[in-house]
């Protein structure tokens, strides 16, 4: 076993703190933005679209718009009724594509059932695809070309980088194969880069022996959408855990009657790990950093 892995196994648990890491990265983005504008570049401008009034979507979009203000970006929030047709929404996206002042476009998912996510994503100008969901962005990422990386996997890479975790040669098990989290994360962790250079296994609902596979993991990325799915008996000593899940569960001790938990049984798993992200306060905050990094990059491309 290489020395790096031995060192990880005997190190005490460290929280991968999304709040502190995001604050550090946002400070850097703010500085870069001011410098870019001072050098004659255009102010980054993010346009966000929200359809309907899903409270979780409202919270996510609100926080993205607030972050734009914090970083010195311009922002536009477009709200549409749940009844908007797909054609009408696509027309709004095309208007943003044609607006030279807009650098980045994000459409908050999930969308109402009568609107196709794929049609919406495919309509966004790839040059403004700061969520990194467009086939052009994902195709370039797959080929190792410069592209807008999907915001959540990008945020996780920023987190690993910030904590100087060298993932070379590690076995990374990604649970979940969505186009926006699980699948791109497997691509990024297996690329010839650091973070990356890992041996990657992708798991999903049809995977057999999930527990045995997870027990071999140096890194587990949990992107399932099931509260506390990854339990203590699935994690080997010294593992690194990135918990993407955001699940609301009942909690009678809270005023609201609910609380957020991840896809990992944090309280019982944490002492086995060398590094673990909490929920809330982990990957979610890093996703916004990924989005903002992409938006600044888009503004640089458009200047
Ligand atoms: P999806 O629902 O699109 O994908 C979930 C994946 O989990 C699927 O690939 C599914 O497999 C797999 N899965 C479901 N059940 C099991 C099981 N029993 N065993 C193994 N795999 C299983 O979710 P997302 O990727 O969009 O999101 C995942 C979680 O992350 C959610 O909680 C979401 O809210 C959260 N999220 C958080 C973000 C953040 O910024 N922190 C950003 C985006 C999402 P199959 O393909 O076979 O159905």
């Amino acid at each position: 076993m290489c020395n790096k892995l031995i060192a990880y196994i005997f190190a005490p648990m460290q929280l991968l703190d999304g709040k502190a890491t995001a604050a550090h990265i946002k400070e850097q983005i703010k500085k870069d933005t001011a410098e870019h504008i001072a050098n004659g570049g255009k102010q980054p401008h993010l346009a966000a679209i929200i359809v309907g009034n899903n409270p979780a979507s409202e919270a996510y979009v609100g926080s993205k718009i607030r972050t734009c203000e914090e970083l010195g970006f311009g922002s536009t929030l477009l709200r549409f009724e749940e009844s908007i047709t797909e054609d009408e929404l696509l027309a709004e996206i095309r208007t943003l594509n044609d607006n030279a002042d807009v650098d980045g476009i994000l459409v908050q998912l999930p969308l109402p059932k009568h609107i196709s996510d794929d049609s919406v994503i495919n309509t966004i100008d790839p040059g403004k695809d700061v969520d990194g969901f467009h086939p052009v962005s994902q195709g370039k990422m797959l080929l190792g070309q410069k592209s807008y990386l999907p915001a959540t996997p990008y945020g996780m890479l920023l987190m690993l980088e910030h904590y100087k975790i060298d993932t070379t040669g590690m076995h990374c098990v990604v649970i979940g194969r969505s186009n926006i989290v699980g699948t791109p994360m497997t691509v990024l962790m297996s690329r010839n880069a650091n973070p990356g250079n890992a041996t990657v296994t992708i798991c999903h609902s049809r995977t057999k022996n999930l527990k045995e596979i997870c027990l071999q993991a140096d890194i587990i990325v949990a992107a399932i959408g099931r509260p506390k799915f990854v339990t203590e008996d699935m994690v080997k000593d010294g593992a690194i855990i990135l918990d993407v899940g955001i699940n609301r569960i009942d909690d009678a001790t809270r005023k609201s009657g609910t609380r957020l938990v991840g896809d990992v049984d944090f309280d019982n798993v944490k002492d086995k790990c060398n590094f673990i992200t909490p929920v809330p306060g982990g990957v979610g905050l890093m996703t916004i950093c990924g989005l903002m990094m992409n938006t600044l990059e888009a503004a640089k491309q458009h200047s």
Side-chain angles (χ1 to χ4, degrees), residues 152 175-178 180-181 204-205 210 223-226 229 244-247 263 283-284 287:
T152 300
I175 318 174
R177 56 178 165 185
S178 71
I180 62 171
V181 186
H204 43 75
S205 65
L210 182 65
I224 310 147
R226 293 183 176 223
F229 181 88
V244 184
I246 301 178
N247 310 288
D263 287 346
V283 173
T287 295

Side-chain angles (χ1 to χ4, degrees), residues 152-173:
T152 300
Y154 189 10
M156 287 190 270
L157 298 189
L158 292 170
M159 176 78 99
L160 292 168
E161 238 168 47
H162 180 78
Y163 281 88
K164 300 189 170 39
I165 296 172
D166 181 353
T167 57
T168 306
M170 288 190 177
H171 181 199
C172 175
V173 171

Side-chain angles (χ1 to χ4, degrees), residues 176-213:
R177 56 178 165 185
S178 71
N179 291 339
I180 62 171
V181 186
T183 298
M185 192 60 182
T186 65
V187 172
L188 292 167
M189 289 305 290
S190 60
R191 70 189 177 156
N192 186 358
N194 190 29
N197 276 327
T199 303
V200 181
T201 303
I202 185 163
C203 301
H204 43 75
S205 65
R206 311 295 171 88
T207 298
K208 289 181 182 162
N209 307 326
L210 182 65
K211 177 178 161 184
E212 284 68 28
I213 295 168

Side-chain angles (χ1 to χ4, degrees), residues 89-112:
L89 184 61
L90 299 186
E92 295 288 346
I93 294 170
R94 289 190 191 101
T95 303
L96 293 174
N97 286 345
D98 294 340
N99 181 343
D101 190 47
V102 170
D103 299 298
I105 301 171
L106 88 82
V107 181
Q108 188 65 45
L109 301 178
L111 290 165

